[in-house]
Amino acid sequence: MKKRTLLILLLFPCLLNAQGGMWVPLHLEKQNEKEMQSLGLKIEADDIFAIAQPSLKDAICQFNGGCTGEMISPEGLLLTNHHCGFGAIQQLSSLENNYIENGYWAQNREQELPAPGVTAMFIARMEDVTALALLGVSESMAEEARQSQIDKNLAQIRVNTKKEKWEDIQIRPFYNGNQYYLFVTQTFRDVRFVGAPPSSIGKFGADTDNWVWPRHTGDFSMFRVYAGKDNLPAEYSKDNVPFRPKKHLGISLDGVREGDFTMVFGFPGRTDEYLPEAAIRQVGEVLDPAKVAIRDRALKAMDGFMRKDPAVKIAYVARFASIANAWKKWMGEMQGLKTYGAYEKKSAMEAEFTRRVEKSVDFKYKYNNLLPRLRDLYRDIEPYALARDYYLEACLRNNEVLSLAAGLNSWIESYDKNGEAFFAGKQKDAAARLEGFYKDYRPEVDEAVFAALMEIYAENMPEEWGGGFVKMAAAKNGGYSGLAHTMFSNSVLPYRAKMEALLAKEPAVVAETLKNDPAYTFWKTLSDAYQEKIQPKLQELQPQINLLQRQYMAAQMAVFKEKRFFPDANSTLRLTYGKVSGYSPRDAVHYEEQTYLDGVMEKYSPGDYEFDVPQRLIDLWKAKDYGRYADASGRVPVGFIGTNHTTGGNSGSPALDAYGNLIGLNFDRVWEGTMSDLNYDPAICRNIMVDIRYILFIIDKYAGAGYLINEMNLVKGKRKRK
Ligand code: ARG
Ligand code: GLU
């Protein structure tokens, strides 16, 4: 380190940690502007977020509830990830027009395909409503009374907030309920599919490369937001016109270098950065390992069938990817927490917290017992939290027939509770659920998954909480495969034809048969055990934890006055910033910050479902036909990483440069850094972005859809070359 930098770091130790955080855009000027500018930002806080005049925030939307998207043209062109558009693209695909497999590019506005159900939500304004939300709330109140007072207050705020009739209001708790913010939003529902690369580009590397750097995925897709003639949200109509956003992003082809300032603007879903050590240890040492072990079994069972039969593979690929996504993330998280000293860091922080609390009469009075009580509660809840994960993972999330039984339960029970007419009236809903269920369902795969999951369930779930029941059932049938076989041979649920035949019968017969179906009764026994033995304890302990976490959050903010605190992610609009930066996760290993098209070709494996490459891309690469999208070294950049603090929900978020121009598209994090939801570490945690030059290269040179680029605003040459 240069002497001068060392001096600066000694004088301002906070700069060392000047990375990480998902900041509330309303407070950028007060909390972040100076620091961002010291890191390289060349614009001002109110260029990023303002209410009275257009700002970057007007180009950002929540895409389809769970991802982020951004406006990249004055005519409502929206950019997001391929994996965010995947569901919609799949819906629009058929065997003849397989847009997932082959990609798609509308050649004109008529060819833009309405994607029913897809939404784009923009933030018109936001406001701190803490004072009103907590009116009449006191520390001495019981939790229930507190919540009902808050609910009343929020209802009042809703009534009193002026909004246009096309706007909606959201009010969300921040800092574990210590603050409340109101958002006025606009949701567009006529969103049309414009284009996407084939999966071999948009999902290149699939599950093997997921959560991993170096990465070579062109994870993007494009939609267009349509509005009524008045430019306001409108239901789908062929008379709607492209939405004209108040702001769209400029696009920079200048590229990035190690150390460059970047920021990511979007809708991160959930983080838990302020838990005590006891809680993150529980996640890393107890809950994650259990969930990983359960999913290991489910994935292995599925994989065996998928490898044998290409038809099964097609049916299960999306399900497999989604189970594997969290599985892999949890594995990275538990290893990261341990390897990079998260527990030690938390406990050092807690020691300092306790020291300061002891020293101040005021703090001592208020916070004295917080940490010991939290530790006790996390200890008390552990067996129940673990049992909840076993139940959810083994009986609901990873086993199809049991989750179908759970889904039909309230209907099946309604026969006795609400009578035959009610039951018959709901028969259509049940049939609709079945339609979706059987589409990609294979009983033989599910049977194997069931056997594998019940074995691990019986081994780990206490006898009286359902474990004993499963053990006994297996013993009666000569083991877990035997149990699975008996159940699947005698149940109607796994078989579409049997179910359809059943549903054609009298309601009384349908109800009676389902009530006695072996898959249903099996699930019901486990569910009853859960409801009786586990759920009540969770309901007793969780609110106590929530209360203490709220107090602990406030306490940390009061005791560490010198630190800045960002609120945990809660699916609201946030800005995170940092630098383009490689990292060194292990001894002798260093990762560069940028990948190239040459790297795609290194990974290319002809015929492999994860690493095949379209011939046209190979041809362009061989001919070096890169147009204006190569960098100074003559190569096409594909991906890069930075210290932006992101999480699920930030998929599709724009990566912006110091001027607020689009330079990339966020889509993932690195394996060693997935612990950042609990413990962000600027040395290790990196977000992964597709380079905008790769996106434009694919659109222009690969897909020949250069006309889309004409409606974008390409800016060039602002960077000072050193
Ligand atoms: N890991 C990224 C995220 O959490 C990408 C997931 C989609 N890709 C996949 N191979 N499953 O959403
Ligand atoms: N792929 C994630 C998403 O869909 C983003 C990656 C992350 O969790 O950081 O939101």
Side-chain angles (χ1 to χ4, degrees), residues 239-433:
D239 299 329
N240 284 346
V241 294
F243 170 55
R244 298 181 308 281
K246 272 195 251 168
K247 183 92 185 172
H248 62 277
L249 300 176
I251 299 177
S252 166
L253 295 184
D254 288 350
V256 296
R257 293 191 196 168
E258 175 80 31
D260 279 355
F261 176 84
T262 66
M263 52 189 175
V264 171
F265 209 1
F267 291 84
R270 174 175 176 177
T271 59
D272 291 289
E273 309 285 350
Y274 304 105
L275 299 177
E277 189 220 10
I280 65 166
R281 231 184 232 286
Q282 188 166 94
V283 173
E285 294 182 349
V286 179
L287 303 179
D288 277 353
K291 291 187 289 187
V292 166
I294 295 169
R295 290 195 178 200
D296 264 337
R297 305 236 181 160
L299 290 167
K300 270 204 196 90
M302 290 163 74
D303 187 62
F305 287 91
M306 290 166 73
R307 277 180 199 282
K308 275 189 291 201
D309 182 348
V312 173
K313 162 100 158 296
I314 293 172
Y316 273 85
V317 72
R319 187 176 168 78
F320 188 93
S322 129
I323 294 176
N325 191 39
W327 165 78
K328 205 165 173 184
K329 188 207 140 174
W330 292 326
M331 252 191 299
E333 183 172 82
M334 63 201 234
Q335 288 184 15
L337 289 171
K338 184 166 146 216
T339 310
Y340 303 106
Y343 306 132
E344 292 75 11
K345 199 166 103 188
K346 282 275 185 196
S347 79
M349 191 281 268
E350 284 165 30
E352 176 62 12
F353 175 85
T354 308
R355 201 185 62 81
R356 292 192 192 188
V357 168
E358 291 290 320
K359 254 182 33 192
S360 142
V361 181
D362 188 31
F363 286 164
K364 197 164 170 173
Y365 170 70
K366 275 169 58 193
Y367 308 136
N368 195 18
N369 264 322
L370 266 182
L371 270 173
R373 279 160 68 210
L374 267 174
R375 283 182 201 127
D376 286 350
L377 278 169
Y378 278 108
R379 185 200 56 213
D380 294 348
I381 207 173
E382 185 160 297
Y384 304 98
L386 182 61
R388 168 176 51 200
D389 277 348
Y390 266 101
Y391 176 70
L392 291 178
E393 287 289 317
C395 299
L396 295 180
R397 294 186 188 137
N398 297 301
N399 190 249
E400 295 169 274
V401 84
L402 294 185
S403 92
L404 177 65
L408 295 177
N409 179 50
S410 65
W411 175 56
I412 295 175
E413 286 191 332
S414 75
Y415 189 86
D416 290 337
K417 272 196 205 137
N418 311 66
E420 181 163 323
F422 181 88
F423 178 84
K426 294 279 170 194
Q427 199 134 331
K428 260 216 190 88
D429 299 351
R433 187 190 285 272

Side-chain angles (χ1 to χ4, degrees), residues 10-131:
L10 282 174
L11 288 174
F12 305 98
C14 61
L15 283 183
L16 261 179
N17 224 355
Q19 286 166 66
M22 302 170 172
W23 300 95
V24 177
L26 195 58
H27 303 314
L28 289 180
E29 187 176 341
K30 219 170 61 207
Q31 293 187 319
N32 312 93
E33 187 180 57
K34 255 215 192 87
E35 178 185 276
M36 289 169 81
Q37 289 174 344
S38 81
L39 289 167
L41 179 72
K42 297 283 190 258
I43 56 179
E44 280 163 18
D46 62 3
D47 297 318
I48 299 171
F49 185 91
I51 290 169
Q53 83 258 17
S55 59
L56 291 177
K57 81 120 174 44
D58 297 306
I60 317 298
C61 61
Q62 188 173 50
F63 180 78
N64 220 11
C67 280
T68 304
E70 53 275 355
M71 295 287 101
I72 55 167
S73 94
E75 296 180 88
L77 197 57
L78 181 150
L79 180 65
T80 189
N81 287 143
H82 186 264
H83 78 262
C84 294
F86 197 89
I89 303 171
Q90 198 169 38
Q91 285 290 312
L92 294 167
S93 293
S94 60
L95 234 47
E96 309 80 68
N97 295 313
N98 189 340
Y99 306 139
I100 293 286
E101 182 80 20
N102 307 318
Y104 177 77
W105 292 97
Q107 296 303 315
N108 51 50
R109 299 278 156 91
E110 276 67 53
Q111 288 182 7
E112 298 181 353
L113 306 172
V118 174
T119 56
M121 184 199 79
F122 292 81
I123 306 292
R125 54 182 205 275
M126 70 177 289
E127 230 176 278
D128 182 347
V129 292
T130 308

Side-chain angles (χ1 to χ4, degrees), residues 462-477:
E463 297 270 325
E464 66 283 14
W465 292 359
F469 164 74
V470 179
K471 247 186 223 150
M472 213 136 76
K476 265 195 228 145
N477 288 281

